[in-house]
Amino acid sequence: MRKAFSSQHGFAFDNTYARELEGFYVPVEAAQVAKPRLLQWNRTLADELGLDSEALGSEQGAAIFAGNQLPEGASPLAQAYAGHQFGGFVPQLGDGRALLLGEMLDGQNRRRDLQLKGSGRTPFSRGGDGKAPLGAVLREHLIGEAMHALGIPTTRALASVATGESVFRETPVPGAVLTRVAASHIRVGTFQFFAARGERDKVQRLADYSIVRHHPQAADAENRYLALLAAVADVQASLVAGWMHVGFVHGVMNTDNMTISGETIDYGPCAFIDAYHPQAVFSSIDRNGRYAYANQPVIAQWNLARLAETLLPLIHEDETRAIELATEVVDGFAAHFGDVWLDGMRAKLGLTTAEEGDLELANDFLAELAAQRVDFTSAWRALAASLLEGEEVLSRRFEDASGCQTWIARWQERLAREPMTERTRVAAMNRVNPLYIPRNHKVEEALAAAVESQDLEPFETLLTVLARPFEEQPGHAGYAVPAPESFGSYKTFCGT
Ligand code: AMP
Ligand code: MG
């Protein structure tokens, strides 16, 4: 048996999932690894969680976050879930390479999951080895932290530990374990797992648990399960709108990768758009573009319909009535998403008031970017800059500038009816249009250095730059520009 560490490291677990939801998981212990080494340690997040960031930022932390030592109070378990993968239902997925250590309350009294990812086989591993390659771990670490800094709800990375072992993919690659912090790991697929087995009581227990943990306002509603569905629809609408505003393509929006909490989860083949195009796809396995940039709201709604199906027996005893009620909520997603999306687009355009024509103005700008494949992130930043430095800052990014110039004139006309001064407007726009995003070539460069040359410096510099995405940082202009031509078209791989 493994010896537990004392709570001197600040671990104060309170494991409601383990305690209240027996039968929803399998208790599992992490695999022992050869030579754990702490590569990344997120002190800020450790402090938020009340952990001893000093003591854990050491060999002790490496042992714990590799899975070699169990912190006191943890109850490691693999969660059961199912999911639609690229539209096809898989009745059993589950944590095949992850373990929930337990839950802790952070400084703001928010309940957070601590999960190890890459910690060895579980009963849900099927043919997999339960391990994670270093590149994939660092990628999730980086993108999650970048998303957080961009203000988008997301799981976060507490630690990345090298295991000192090889994992075998096409070739042997260094192995690693990620410690992930999340509001919870309850997915649409968690509901589907029990619904597909006809376990109505368990679906109800999971729904009740989710309401308490994530959407407590639903408890007061006349129909609490319908209110739960509506609450998940709301948080997902905001989440996906947030993705769209920064050009993020999740890449694998299977129902097992969609949370009930509304956090982004499972950074696999994701990427940020460079040259704007609504049908942008990066994932090598997404051959039909199911999860293309502009499809994301449609897919979110499709996933919500799958959640709705699991809740039908709870929503109303009469199935026809249940379907009517649920359909209303799922259908309402589109309009709600549209509103949230437009609000964000107004902010990106520097608008503080709402007018009829704003939707068209926003869409026409995107159409201009798409027509000439202009770099998304820097175009928005240039739009603000054009107010102080002249329209060429933006229009010179277009091979044919005429469409852009006509559009700028319309935008200027619209701005004339806004109350803000120019300087305030530019500052406001720069607070929502990031200067730095995880550019694909920079991410690849940083991961290659870390994996192939054991050089973490490029990774750490990138992580530092991305921690303040809206502020210009001296000496880091290179992080704000598109990839050189030679980088070519970008493809991502699941990296499992
Ligand atoms: P993902 O594609 O990361 O969302 O994972 C889909 C499913 O495959 C989940 O059930 C994972 O636990 C499982 N899985 C992915 N990689 C591995 C692996 N290396 N070993 C075992 N299970 C895995
Ligand atoms: Mg997943």
Side-chain angles (χ1 to χ4, degrees):
M1 271 309 282
R2 215 166 290 170
K3 230 180 77 199
F5 255 120
S6 78
S7 58
Q8 77 197 30
H9 297 106
F11 287 102
F13 284 107
D14 175 38
N15 305 330
T16 60
Y17 205 90
R19 215 163 50 225
E20 296 170 24
L21 294 176
E22 212 176 301
F24 290 67
Y25 59 83
V26 184
V28 186
E29 291 202 1
Q32 295 289 304
V33 306
K35 228 173 143 222
R37 199 158 57 86
L38 194 58
L39 298 182
Q40 288 298 310
W41 174 235
N42 190 337
R43 274 174 195 280
T44 321
L45 183 56
D47 290 342
E48 240 177 64
L49 293 168
L51 293 172
D52 183 344
S53 57
E54 204 51 51
L56 289 169
S58 66
E59 258 177 56
Q60 296 215 308
I64 290 175
F65 299 117
N68 278 7
Q69 292 278 358
L70 195 63
E72 186 179 310
S75 34
L77 58 87
Q79 291 176 314
Y81 58 84
H84 276 90
Q85 300 194 307
F86 289 91
F89 187 61
V90 184
Q92 182 171 310
L93 291 166
D95 288 332
R97 54 165 164 175
L99 284 184
L100 177 65
L101 287 179
E103 303 147 34
M104 290 174 58
L105 294 178
D106 69 12
Q108 292 176 45
N109 232 22
R110 290 175 305 184
R111 183 171 293 278
R112 318 272 293 264
D113 272 7
L114 249 69
Q115 194 205 55
L116 301 181
K117 194 169 171 183
S119 51
R121 288 181 53 80
T122 79
F124 300 111
S125 297
R126 294 169 292 168
D129 60 2
K131 307 274 181 171
L134 175 60
V137 164
L138 290 178
R139 195 160 202 282
E140 173 153 359
H141 192 119
L142 181 78
I143 312 269
E145 288 307 290
M147 291 287 269
H148 173 72
L150 287 166
I152 295 172
T154 176
T155 64
R156 299 198 53 194
L158 179 65
S160 286
V161 178
T163 58
E165 297 174 353
S166 290
V167 298
F168 295 88
R169 294 301 179 254
E170 259 132 47
T171 53
V173 289
V177 178
L178 174 76
T179 303
R180 177 159 84 175
V181 175
S184 87
H185 286 82
I186 304 171
R187 309 145 191 268
V188 169
T190 320
F191 283 83
Q192 290 181 291
F193 182 87
F194 300 102
R197 296 155 65 111
E199 298 186 283
R200 183 191 179 280
D201 286 0
K202 282 194 173 162
V203 176
Q204 182 159 6
R205 280 169 64 198
L206 185 63
D208 288 335
Y209 179 89
S210 301
I211 289 172
V212 172
R213 187 157 173 184
H214 298 302
H215 303 291
Q217 75 285 2
D220 305 324
E222 199 184 312
N223 187 331
R224 61 195 333 247
Y225 303 112
L226 190 64
L228 171 63
L229 178 63
V232 177
D234 275 7
V235 291
Q236 284 294 334
S238 307
L239 179 66
V240 177
W243 293 353
M244 304 299 281
H245 292 142
V246 296
F248 177 75
V249 185
H250 183 283
V252 58
M253 288 177 73
N254 295 332
T255 55
D256 53 303
N257 291 335
M258 180 158 155
T259 59
I260 298 304
S261 69
E263 284 183 343
T264 315
I265 197 170
D266 280 359
Y267 296 95
C270 60
F272 282 73
I273 287 193
D274 32 30
Y276 181 73
H277 194 266
Q279 289 314 319
V281 175
F282 298 96
S283 170
S284 57
I285 58 169
D286 191 1
R287 287 187 201 91
N288 300 314
R290 179 180 171 90
Y291 299 137
Y293 174 75
N295 267 10
Q296 298 185 115
V298 179
I299 291 294
Q301 186 178 34
W302 191 88
N303 290 349
L304 282 169
R306 306 290 78 78
L307 175 64
E309 285 164 2
T310 72
L311 297 173
L312 288 177
L314 309 179
I315 288 174
H316 205 282
E317 58 200 19
D318 172 26
E319 197 186 20
T320 312
R321 184 66 191 133
I323 291 173
E324 257 169 37
L325 291 166
T327 304
E328 208 175 300
V329 172
V330 174
D331 284 352
F333 175 86
H336 181 61
F337 171 82
D339 290 344
V340 185
W341 179 81
L342 184 55
D343 279 350
M345 291 304 280
R346 284 200 176 96
K348 287 177 81 66
L349 289 164
L351 305 176
T352 55
T353 61
E355 284 187 14
E356 228 6 61
D358 295 346
L359 176 62
E360 211 184 332
L361 189 69
N363 278 329
D364 290 351
F365 184 57
L366 293 176
E368 287 299 328
L369 297 180
Q372 297 186 49
R373 301 285 203 273
V374 174
D375 181 73
F376 184 75
T377 304
S378 60
W380 284 102
R381 207 63 188 192
L383 182 64
S386 77
L387 290 171
L388 302 175
E389 296 161 41
E391 63 158 63
E392 315 75 52
V393 195
L394 178 63
S395 60
R396 67 160 185 252
R397 286 154 200 273
F398 292 75
E399 229 163 273
D400 172 2
S402 59
C404 168
Q405 283 159 343
T406 314
W407 183 88
I408 290 180
R410 278 170 60 201
W411 178 57
Q412 298 273 9
E413 241 177 75
R414 172 68 182 86
L415 290 183
R417 296 190 295 278
E418 281 282 314
M420 268 196 238
T421 66
E422 213 89 294
R423 287 209 167 268
T424 322
R425 176 173 303 126
V426 172
M429 289 175 75
N430 286 345
R431 279 195 299 274
V432 294
N433 293 313
L435 179 58
Y436 308 107
I437 50 143
R439 289 196 175 267
N440 303 321
H441 66 296
K442 286 291 183 193
V443 173
E444 291 307 315
E445 198 178 283
L447 297 185
V451 175
E452 288 154 27
S453 321
Q454 292 79 51
D455 176 9
L456 277 165
E457 204 201 296
F459 180 89
E460 283 169 359
T461 309
L462 184 56
L463 189 66
T464 308
V465 170
L466 294 173
R468 288 183 294 127
F470 301 103
E471 283 168 52
E472 196 162 332
Q473 298 167 43
H476 291 317
Y479 291 85
V481 292
E485 290 276 319
S486 60
F487 185 67
S489 84
Y490 188 54
K491 277 270 161 266
T492 56
F493 301 89
C494 248
T496 57

